[in-house]
């Protein structure tokens, strides 16, 4: 009998039955009163739970579209933008901003490390930046940026809009928009919300909304905040067709988060990531990310001597667990594994047992069971 495949890449993450049920419902008209009510309630919940006195947007598209949407609504050609990059996804803003004709400066960290708050503050003093981008968790490195401390610094620069990429963080890492001084936060449905790919979710505070207003008509159409604000406040209105079933699925995810408790959810992610990283280290793997900057949503795992990436991931997949490869210079040197979203302890233990089965099949010499034992002790 074939093993069921656990999707343990850092997004999409496993989807639970109640969320799948929403995605599989018969679609209704977007003006259907029941759907309109569901959509309205979802927006209210998202604003409240992520603490924004502003707007929340739920729009069909991926995380990359949300990146572009954030930039499009707060900058105009020739504006200065500071990009803080801790890896591959931080760098993605370089291309997005360059294509829009923005003047960019980039602060980059070595992979596994982060750009310091001090360096960010010093750079912000150099010129007037219209916006700054920070990736909360860079999925290529597993490094978590100190978004709250950065937010404190940005308060001293009233012209700079603070954009946080929460794609690999939101709903797994603590984020409170207004309280942390964030102006735009965004994510995708397929990561720690545990919904299939397809929705971009953005929160925009008053500073970002004022900036959008001051820009007048912008060149972008589908991703214009001003076009979507009426719909997010009254879903009986039409602008572009909402992703009905995905919105239901996200609403179910939010219901699950409320049931768990959002703080409890963040704590669970912390507990699982500490235990999981310790187990991997006990097996002889190394974690790429410096200890103090390790995120709670995924692990970036360097192979010990003698384990070949392709073979490891192939056998692991045959045994039932899909993980992702390393990006950039780390392709072939590490794998990346997600532990975010709606994953229960069974899934975590099964994943670790599958990693051990794979190591045994590869003939890797280690203390058999030490990964699971460590997990049992630390979870
Ligand atoms: C941190 C981060 N930002 C942006 C993206 C891009 O999102 P998407 O692939 O949904 O377009 C990803 C994708 O993994 C990501 O991890």
């Amino acid at each position: 009998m074939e093993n069921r495949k656990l999707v343990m890449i850092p997004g999409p993450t496993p989807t639970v039955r109640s969320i799948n049920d929403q995605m599989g419902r018969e679609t209704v008209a977007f003006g259907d009163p029941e759907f309109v009510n569901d959509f309205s309630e979802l927006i209210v919940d998202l604003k409240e739970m992520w603490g924004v006195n502003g707007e929340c947007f739920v729009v069909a598209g991926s995380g990359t579209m949300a990146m572009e949407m954030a930039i499009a609504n707060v900058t105009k050609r020739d504006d200065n933008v500071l990009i803080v990059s801790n890896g591959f996804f931080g760098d993605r803003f370089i291309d997005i901003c360059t294509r829009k004709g923005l003047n960019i400066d980039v602060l980059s960290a070595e992979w596994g490390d982060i750009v310091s708050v001090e360096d960010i503050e010093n750079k912000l003093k150099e010129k007037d930046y219209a916006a700054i981008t920070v990736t909360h968790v860079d999925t290529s490195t597993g490094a978590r940026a100190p978004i709250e401390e950065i937010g404190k610094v940005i308060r001293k620069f009233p012209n700079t809009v603070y954009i946080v990429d929460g794609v690999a963080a939101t709903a797994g890492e603590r984020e409170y928009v207004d309280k942390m001084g964030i102006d735009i936060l965004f994510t995708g449905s397929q990561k720690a919300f545990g919904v299939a790919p397809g929705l971009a979710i953005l929160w925009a505070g008053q500073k970002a909304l004022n900036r959008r207003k001051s820009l007048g008509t912008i060149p972008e159409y589908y991703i214009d905040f001003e076009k979507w604000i009426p719909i997010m406040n009254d879903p009986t209105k039409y602008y572009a067709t909402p992703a009905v079933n995905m919105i239901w699925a996200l609403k179910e995810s939010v219901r699950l988060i409320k049931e768990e408790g959002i703080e409890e959810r963040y704590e669970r992610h912390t507990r699982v990531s500490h235990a999981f990283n310790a187990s991997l280290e006990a097996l002889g793997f190394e974690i790429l990310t410096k200890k103090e900057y390790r995120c709670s949503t995924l692990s970036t795992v360097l192979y010990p001597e003698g384990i070949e990436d392709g073979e490891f991931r192939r056998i692991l997949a045959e045994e039932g667990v899909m993980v992702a490869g390393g990006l950039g210079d780390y392709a072939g040197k590490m794998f990346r594994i997600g532990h975010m979203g709606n994953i229960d302890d069974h899934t975590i233990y099964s994943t670790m047992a599958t990693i051990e089965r794979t190591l045994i099949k590869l003939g890797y010499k280690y203390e058999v069971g030490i990964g699971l034992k460590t997990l049992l002790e630390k979870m």
Side-chain angles (χ1 to χ4, degrees), residues 59-336:
V59 180
S62 84
T64 306
M65 190 195 73
M67 297 172 83
E68 202 156 8
M69 191 161 170
I71 291 293
N73 282 280
V74 297
T75 61
K76 59 179 188 314
R77 179 171 278 278
D78 295 329
D79 276 349
N80 298 322
V81 175
L82 179 58
I83 295 168
V84 176
S85 178
N86 296 326
F88 180 89
F89 289 101
D91 285 351
R92 183 165 284 193
F93 272 116
I94 297 173
D95 207 10
I96 291 173
C97 293
T98 306
R99 281 166 184 241
K100 196 176 155 66
L102 300 166
N103 299 319
I104 56 161
D105 287 318
V106 185
L107 287 173
S108 299
E110 287 284 312
W111 280 32
D113 203 341
I114 60 162
V115 175
S116 75
V117 180
E118 199 188 356
D119 284 353
I120 293 172
E121 179 157 16
N122 289 336
K123 198 75 193 166
L124 286 171
K125 284 178 187 159
E126 284 180 13
K127 57 174 100 146
D128 203 22
Y129 286 101
I132 174 175
T133 67
V134 176
T135 313
H136 192 180
V137 170
D138 202 300
T139 325
S140 62
T141 71
R144 176 175 56 206
I147 55 163
E148 189 164 13
E149 286 72 47
I150 298 170
K152 282 183 191 144
V153 163
I154 293 170
R155 283 201 170 93
K156 300 180 208 164
F157 301 87
N159 294 334
T160 308
V161 170
Y162 181 22
I163 299 171
V164 174
D165 174 346
V167 173
T170 307
E173 300 275 5
R174 210 167 262 106
E175 290 171 336
Y176 294 107
V177 177
D178 290 346
K179 193 170 139 249
M180 292 183 171
I182 300 167
D183 300 308
I184 298 181
L185 170 71
F186 63 83
T187 192
S189 49
Q190 76 275 23
K191 304 271 188 179
F193 274 112
V195 175
L199 287 181
I201 305 136
L202 294 91
W203 293 259
Q206 288 303 328
K207 185 166 152 186
L209 295 171
N210 290 341
R211 172 65 61 77
R212 168 64 197 90
K213 268 217 164 65
S214 75
L215 296 176
T217 304
I218 59 170
E220 296 81 1
Y221 189 77
Y222 178 68
I223 56 176
D224 184 352
F225 281 178
E226 294 272 293
K227 296 280 191 192
W228 284 110
I229 288 171
I231 284 73
M232 297 303 144
N233 286 288
D234 176 8
T236 59
K237 296 203 169 95
Y238 168 76
Y239 174 54
T241 309
V244 173
N245 289 59
M246 296 302 293
I247 287 166
W248 273 331
L250 184 63
K251 187 174 164 66
E252 173 58 14
S253 170
V254 166
R255 190 193 67 74
L256 292 173
I257 295 170
K258 287 205 282 191
E259 189 175 84
E260 181 176 8
I262 197 159
E263 277 295 320
E264 286 73 12
R265 187 178 181 89
Y266 297 142
E267 289 305 321
R268 166 169 65 81
H269 279 77
T270 306
R271 168 177 64 82
V272 167
S273 63
H274 284 162
F276 206 73
N277 284 337
S279 302
L280 289 164
E281 284 171 333
L283 293 173
F285 292 96
E286 257 183 72
I287 305 296
L288 168 76
T289 328
K290 280 192 176 171
K291 206 159 195 162
E292 59 271 40
Y293 308 132
R294 284 181 194 169
C295 69
S296 300
T297 47
L298 71 132
S299 302
T300 47
V301 195
L302 295 161
Y303 294 111
E305 196 73 32
I307 295 189
E308 197 273 317
D309 176 49
E311 206 184 7
F312 173 81
R313 287 195 290 131
R314 181 180 56 77
I315 296 176
L316 190 66
E318 278 168 15
E319 291 294 318
V321 170
M322 292 289 299
V323 295
L327 294 171
D329 289 347
Y330 287 92
K333 295 182 185 149
M334 74 175 182
F335 71 94
R336 296 174 303 133

